[in-house]
Amino acid sequence: MSKVNIFKPVEQKSRSAAPAPPTDSAAFHAVVDSRRSVRVYADDPIPESVMEACMDAALKAPNSSNLQTWEIHHVVDAAKKAALVEACLSQPAAGTAPELLVFVGRPDLWRRNNQWMLEAFDRAGTVPESAYQYYRKITPLVYDQGAFGWRTPFKWWITRWRGLRKPIPREPIGKWGMRIWAHKSTALACAQFMLAMRAHGFDTCPMEGMDSARVKRLLGLPRQAVVTMVISAGKRAEGGVYGAQQRFDRKHFIHRH
Ligand SMILES: Cc1cc2nc3c(=O)[nH]c(=O)nc-3n(C[C@H](O)[C@H](O)[C@H](O)COP(=O)(O)O)c2cc1C
């Protein structure tokens, strides 16, 4: 097999010729500007088709290595919902919401999804060798932390040593690094879900004010799973948003270099 440089652009025949579709920036900003965290919901239900469309939108979020190590647990069972509200410390954003979802990162499932990717490539039949190499060589190197994390100290030292001379990807290192890694992509799915809800005229509230151990037990999740956030959804009640949106001056956060 010839040596393939996965960081070189793929050959022309493997690229999409489709032009970027036109978009409506005003509609997008109307969605962004009207999204607020809602603490009190009206009783209006959300149509199932809207829930499905918004969850599908969430799953289209960009994600690391396209390994999609996330899950959305839509809690519809009344008893489980009540238990989830309790695990969310009975806060009104959970208690008054017609819909509750838990967004979960699954760093433990990277290998399964990596295999799915290779199988999808086989089915497509037109995938360049560099893509195969990425999922056969690079992802195991980057994401495999070894049983009980035995590779962690080696990765840490090798990364520091090799990084002295040239740029290298440094994260994720260790089991905690993998958790952060999964949280990043899952959080993007959360954002995409909340914006999709708003685009359909509904509202949301992200919550990390919850007992993640209880949430995991309720959903039957393994130890390695990470609860990125619980998101409630519904139609905002009158007065369901607390005050005007408050943001600090953008000069503190946007830096030009
Ligand atoms: C990760 C995360 C956790 C949050 N947890 C809670 C929560 O537990 N309860 C709550 O009422 N709001 C929660 N929020 C909502 C924030 O308080 C809210 O986004 C922030 O005050 C800005 O208001 P806005 O979303 O209306 O712009 C959370 C938001 C994020 C992103």
Side-chain angles (χ1 to χ4, degrees):
M1 193 190 300
S2 63
K3 198 167 175 340
V4 179
N5 184 345
I6 62 139
F7 295 110
K8 287 254 165 67
V10 295
E11 58 272 34
Q12 197 66 38
K13 71 175 167 54
S14 300
R15 300 190 208 177
S16 170
T23 51
D24 184 343
S25 61
F28 175 75
H29 286 287
V31 167
V32 169
D33 292 343
S34 64
R35 186 213 57 79
R36 293 298 315 280
S37 292
V38 164
R39 275 48 182 256
V40 187
Y41 293 94
D43 291 333
D44 311 44
I46 304 178
E48 207 178 312
S49 58
V50 171
M51 288 304 295
E52 295 299 320
C54 294
M55 287 191 276
D56 285 343
L59 297 181
K60 288 179 187 162
N63 64 92
S64 184
S65 292
N66 203 12
L67 283 176
Q68 302 160 58
T69 50
W70 49 32
E71 286 172 351
I72 305 172
H73 293 254
H74 183 192
V75 179
V76 293
D77 176 83
K80 282 192 180 169
K81 232 167 131 181
L84 183 55
V85 170
E86 210 180 317
C88 291
L89 318 176
S90 302
Q91 51 176 304
T96 66
E99 302 289 349
L100 284 176
L101 306 97
V102 186
F103 282 70
V104 176
R106 293 299 304 267
D108 52 316
L109 295 182
W110 77 265
R111 203 186 289 280
R112 178 199 70 178
N113 297 9
N114 197 73
Q115 183 56 31
W116 284 354
M117 189 64 80
L118 289 167
E119 288 165 14
F121 286 175
D122 285 346
R123 284 194 299 276
T126 53
V127 176
E129 183 55 30
S130 56
Y132 272 102
Q133 296 272 29
Y134 184 78
Y135 290 98
R136 281 188 188 133
K137 297 223 166 96
I138 305 294
T139 53
L141 204 64
V142 177
Y143 303 127
D144 187 357
Q145 309 299 327
F148 304 107
W150 70 266
R151 286 176 198 251
T152 304
F154 299 100
K155 283 188 105 161
W156 193 84
W157 277 110
I158 291 168
T159 306
R160 284 187 75 101
W161 174 248
R162 295 195 66 202
L164 286 174
R165 279 168 291 140
K166 60 176 188 170
I168 49 157
R170 291 167 190 259
E171 289 89 20
I173 296 182
K175 296 280 180 197
W176 280 100
M178 286 298 283
R179 286 178 188 154
I180 294 168
W181 172 76
H183 272 312
K184 285 187 203 171
S185 294
T186 309
L188 292 178
C190 293
Q192 203 134 303
F193 174 79
M194 291 188 278
L195 292 176
M197 272 288 158
R198 188 79 280 282
H200 282 274
F202 292 94
D203 297 290
T204 53
C205 185
M207 286 172 278
E208 61 185 357
M210 43 84 190
D211 181 330
S212 62
R214 281 189 163 77
V215 173
K216 280 164 71 170
R217 211 175 310 135
L218 178 70
L219 303 178
L221 293 166
R223 195 175 43 83
Q224 307 95 309
V226 288
V227 179
T228 301
M229 56 191 102
V230 178
I231 299 182
S232 58
K235 219 173 219 359
R236 67 180 80 176
E238 212 180 306
V241 172
Y242 297 170
Q245 193 170 47
Q246 204 271 332
R247 289 293 187 269
F248 304 120
D249 194 315
R250 72 197 293 282
K251 72 174 185 229
H252 300 297
F253 308 110
I254 298 176
H255 307 283
R256 270 173 87 93
H257 295 272

